[in-house]
Amino acid sequence: MLNGMKINTRIALALILIIVAGGAIWFVSQRADLLANTSPEASETPSASPTPVVIAYDDAPSDWPVYSSASLGYSVSYPKDWKMSSCGPGCVGWSTAEMKAGEFALGIIQTTGTLDTLLKDAEQYISAKEQLDINGNAWIRLTLKEPTAGTLITTHFIQQGEKLYEFGSSMLDANILSTYGQMIRSFKFLK
């Protein structure tokens, strides 16, 4: 039962990333309720060839600050004019200066479980899947289709031991996607 709740929480997290209005990412609130209200029968079938979201995984500028958390087990660089804040347990989000409190352009959440289980349970929402080696880290990049509006988003998952990390964004703005790629490339696990 508890393992099933963890799986539902991870699927709901991916759905939250898709559904968020105005580009905000609400990583934690109402995950289980969101999943319960999204039935597979009501979902549209993912398109066979979605329009790809282009992300360049360039080096982050050297003057970006670095967020590092021993308890979460990673460090990542982020733009110096962006705001960083907690968005829940195991969750850190980043906002542009224009965004309101509680809105996030990008975020990372750490949970437990396996990537294989997550992929199996999220299969109905996956439009595209690819494995990427970015700066020595083996990421799984998913393009997910929101079941009601059909909106596509991209999110990245990586597993380290018993911890599963999702690095996501619901925004398709070219500047945000550029920053997203740079932040992913700067992501490092702490030993």
Side-chain angles (χ1 to χ4, degrees):
M1 175 81 178
L2 183 57
N3 192 29
M5 290 173 60
K6 289 180 184 177
I7 292 167
N8 289 343
T9 300
R10 285 183 267 138
I11 293 170
L13 172 63
L15 291 174
I16 288 169
L17 288 170
I18 296 168
I19 294 171
V20 173
I25 300 174
W26 297 97
F27 281 94
V28 178
S29 66
Q30 306 299 323
R31 288 190 240 171
D33 292 341
L34 179 60
L35 183 61
N37 293 329
T38 307
S39 67
E41 298 81 29
S43 301
E44 296 178 21
T45 304
S47 67
S49 56
T51 304
V53 176
V54 177
I55 298 175
Y57 301 99
D58 297 325
D59 288 331
S62 60
D63 64 343
W64 280 10
V66 175
Y67 169 76
S68 183
S69 171
S71 63
L72 294 176
Y74 68 86
S75 68
V76 64
S77 299
Y78 64 96
K80 57 186 171 186
D81 59 339
W82 282 32
K83 299 174 279 187
M84 183 206 65
S85 62
S86 173
C87 46
C91 182
V92 179
W94 288 269
S95 308
T96 64
E98 300 81 32
M99 297 178 103
K100 297 176 188 173
E103 293 181 336
F104 301 96
L106 305 169
I108 302 173
I109 188 166
Q110 173 209 30
T111 61
T112 57
T114 68
L115 190 54
D116 289 338
T117 302
L118 175 113
L119 292 172
K120 180 182 174 212
D121 291 339
E123 188 173 1
Q124 63 188 339
Y125 306 105
I126 298 173
S127 293
K129 176 178 85 171
E130 62 184 309
Q131 294 182 309
L132 303 168
D133 183 295
I134 305 170
N135 204 27
N137 289 317
W139 292 89
I140 298 291
R141 177 181 164 176
L142 299 180
T143 300
L144 301 169
K145 189 171 187 179
E146 191 275 326
T148 308
T151 307
L152 296 179
I153 62 104
T154 190
T155 189
H156 293 69
F157 292 91
I158 192 166
Q159 180 132 18
Q160 176 80 352
E162 294 181 10
K163 296 180 181 176
L164 183 63
Y165 297 82
E166 178 181 7
F167 196 159
S169 175
S170 65
M171 303 182 80
L172 296 179
D173 175 85
N175 291 328
I176 299 293
L177 292 176
S178 175
T179 299
Y180 184 37
Q182 292 169 312
M183 288 179 69
I184 290 170
R185 183 161 175 84
S186 75
F187 183 97
K188 292 181 178 90
F189 285 111
L190 303 177
K191 298 192 182 208

